[in-house]
Every structure is written in C-alpha cells, then in structure tokens.
C-alpha cells in the first residue's frame, strides 16, 4: 500500500539554526499538509499546499516557517532560526482529491529536538 | 471557542471486550469526521471516516456513530485485541476547508 515517507526520523538541532524536514507524499496525491504534535499534546495543523502554493495556514505557521515542493516528489518544511518550543513531532500528510472529505494519510513523522 | 475534545484520556479494557471511545465537537458546521489510531513512534493511521449526512458507518470490527444533535462522535471496536492498544484521535474538518482539527486523544490499553 502506498505510504507517505518522512526523513529524517529524528533531527537534533541547535537553537537558532535552520532545519529542513522532508516528505515524499503518496505519488498521485495533490494536496499536502504539515502538522505538529508537541509531546503529549494533540496534533495541530500547520499548513496545506496545493498547486505549488500554500492554500491554508494556521496561526502557528508564522514567518519562520516555509514550505516548498522542489521537485515532483518531495515536499519540505523549513524552519528558520529554530526555537526551543519548536521541539515536536512533525507529520506530513497527503490526500488525493482537490476538495475535502477524503482521509489524509500521514507519515510516521520527524522528531525535532532543539537544544 | 470551537474545539474537538475527548471525554476520557484513558480507557482500559479486557481482551475480547468491546471498546467505546467518545469525542465531543462544538463546530456544528463540521461535515466530515475521521478516527485515527496512533501507535507509539508512528503517525496517525486512518481507521474510519463519516460524513455529516450519515449517523453510522461500519468497518471491519469498528463502527463510528455520529450524533449531530449533541455533537458527539464515538468509535466502537468489537472484540478488542492487544494490537488495538494505541492512542485514538477524533478529527473534524476545520474551518479553513482542508485542515483536520484533532482532539486530545484517548489512550486505549487492552489487557490480556
């Protein structure tokens, strides 16, 4: 069964450094998402991406965050000048259809630890 | 404010029993709901979904019930197995249109 893959599984970064989290969505999917889960808390929406641009973003997704689809397969989340509170699991998800009401399929996440 | 939440943070059941996990939501305009299972170290795994024009949907060993009158969602797992032990999240389609808003999660523990 096709799946969303994320790399690395664990990223350790010094505070203030930039980090790029990578995702390969399911190949025929059109909508891509990033979510965050701080340890012990619920999964929170960050951003959705369609047709090479951001379609929605949450209050969490401020100017330190950016997303990109640099080629036909990868979808990346960049965090500039990381802060301690950016430590969390970051999940990528994708769905096939343009409109909603289809389940989003998640990768197994990248654990980001900011020191 | 609007939120998706859960009644119980933990649920412990005996293997073979049925499990019921509950979820309350407050956005009456939500038209799509999903139950996800999250095992340790993994991402949310889709279990079952339901649209607001339905009140019940069944899958393999799982049933989702939607009560729009009281804005309540439940997940029933029949003949619970040790492999069902995980955190279960309900999620509703958010106001933005394509994001999913997750509840806090219920940890299900199945005792052998």
């Amino acid at each position: 069964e096709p799946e969303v893959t994320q790399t690395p599984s664990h990223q350790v970064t010094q505070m203030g450094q930039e980090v790029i989290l990578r995702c390969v969505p399911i190949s025929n999917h059109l909508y891509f998402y990033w979510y965050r889960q701080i340890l012990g808390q619920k999964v929170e929406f960050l951003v959705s991406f369609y047709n090479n641009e951001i379609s929605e973003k949450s209050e969490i997704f401020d100017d330190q965050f950016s997303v990109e689809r640099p080629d036909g397969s990868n979808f990346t989340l960049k965090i500039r000048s990381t802060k301690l509170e950016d430590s969390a699991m970051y999940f990528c998800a994708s769905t096939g259809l343009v409109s909603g009401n289809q389940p989003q399929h998640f990768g197994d996440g990248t654990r980001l630890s900011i020191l | 404010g609007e939120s998706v939440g859960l009644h119980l943070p933990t649920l412990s059941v005996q293997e073979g029993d049925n499990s019921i996990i509950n979820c309350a939501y407050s956005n009456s305009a939500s038209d799509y709901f999903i139950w996800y299972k999250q095992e340790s170290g993994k991402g949310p795994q889709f279990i079952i979904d339901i649209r607001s024009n339905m009140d019940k949907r069944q899958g393999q060993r799982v049933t989702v019930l939607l009560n729009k009158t009281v804005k309540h969602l439940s997940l029933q797992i029949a003949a619970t197995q040790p492999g069902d032990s995980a955190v279960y999240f309900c999620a509703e389609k958010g106001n933005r249109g394509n994001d999913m808003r997750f509840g806090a999660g219920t940890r299900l523990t199945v005792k052998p």
Side-chain angles (χ1 to χ4, degrees), chain B residues 54-72:
Chain B
M54 304 170 70
D55 53 20
K56 180 179 179 179
R57 190 160 188 230
Q58 287 184 289
Q60 189 176 18
R61 281 202 306 120
V62 294
T63 301
V64 55
L65 300 177
L66 175 62
N67 185 333
K68 294 182 288 294
T69 303
V70 295
K71 290 181 240 170
H72 184 266

Side-chain angles (χ1 to χ4, degrees), chain A residues 31 33 35 37 41-43 45 48 56-59 91 98-108, chain B residues 3-4 31-32 34 36 38 41-44 46 49 51 89 93 96-104:
Chain A
Y31 255 108
Y33 310 84
Y35 288 80
Q37 185 179 32
Q41 298 186 25
K42 62 185 179 183
V43 178
F45 169 77
S48 63
E56 288 118 7
K57 60 183 180 179
S58 72
E59 304 75 27
F91 293 105
V98 174
S99 59
N101 295 354
Q102 290 291 320
Q104 295 178 14
H105 298 271
F106 285 76
D108 283 338
Chain B
S3 64
V4 178
D31 64 355
Y32 181 59
I34 298 178
Y36 284 98
Q38 187 177 29
K42 301 240 176 198
F46 170 79
D49 59 358
R51 291 168 176 73
F89 293 94
K93 193 171 74 172
R96 298 174 187 88
N98 287 296
D99 60 307
M100 296 302 297
R101 298 202 306 157
F102 283 73

Side-chain angles (χ1 to χ4, degrees), chain B residues 10-112:
Chain B
T10 60
L11 176 66
S12 183
V13 301
Q14 206 69 38
E15 181 179 359
D17 287 352
N18 297 334
S19 303
I20 300 176
I21 301 171
N22 296 302
C23 177
Y25 66 94
S26 55
N27 183 2
S28 57
S30 292
D31 64 355
Y32 181 59
F33 304 87
I34 298 178
W35 280 101
Y36 284 98
K37 172 186 181 183
Q38 187 177 29
E39 296 173 288
S40 181
K42 301 240 176 198
Q45 176 189 357
F46 170 79
I47 301 173
I48 193 167
D49 59 358
I50 189 168
R51 291 168 176 73
S52 59
N53 60 352
M54 304 170 70
D55 53 20
K56 180 179 179 179
R57 190 160 188 230
Q58 287 184 289
Q60 189 176 18
R61 281 202 306 120
V62 294
T63 301
V64 55
L65 300 177
L66 175 62
N67 185 333
K68 294 182 288 294
T69 303
V70 295
K71 290 181 240 170
H72 184 266
L73 195 68
S74 68
L75 176 70
Q76 299 177 359
I77 305 174
T80 317
Q81 302 167 0
D84 295 327
S85 293
V87 177
Y88 289 80
F89 293 94
C90 64
E92 63 176 339
K93 193 171 74 172
N95 293 334
R96 298 174 187 88
N98 287 296
D99 60 307
M100 296 302 297
R101 298 202 306 157
F102 283 73
T106 291
R107 180 174 298 281
L108 174 66
T109 302
V110 182
K111 296 177 288 187

Side-chain angles (χ1 to χ4, degrees), chain A residues 12-77:
Chain A
V12 181
T13 302
Q14 291 287 330
M15 186 173 59
Q17 296 296 305
E18 175 183 286
V19 65
I20 297 176
L21 310 182
R22 303 182 190 278
C23 170
V24 179
I26 294 173
S27 63
N28 62 347
H29 281 187
L30 301 174
Y31 255 108
F32 314 115
Y33 310 84
W34 283 102
Y35 288 80
R36 174 181 87 174
Q37 185 179 32
I38 294 171
L39 183 63
Q41 298 186 25
K42 62 185 179 183
V43 178
E44 301 173 287
F45 169 77
L46 292 178
V47 65
S48 63
F49 190 87
Y50 168 72
N51 197 26
N52 284 320
E53 61 183 24
I54 291 173
S55 48
E56 288 118 7
K57 60 183 180 179
S58 72
E59 304 75 27
I60 303 169
F61 194 88
D62 60 21
D63 290 344
Q64 70 166 144
F65 292 93
S66 62
V67 290
E68 191 177 32
R69 188 158 165 82
D71 54 40
S73 60
N74 290 283
F75 179 52
T76 62
L77 174 69

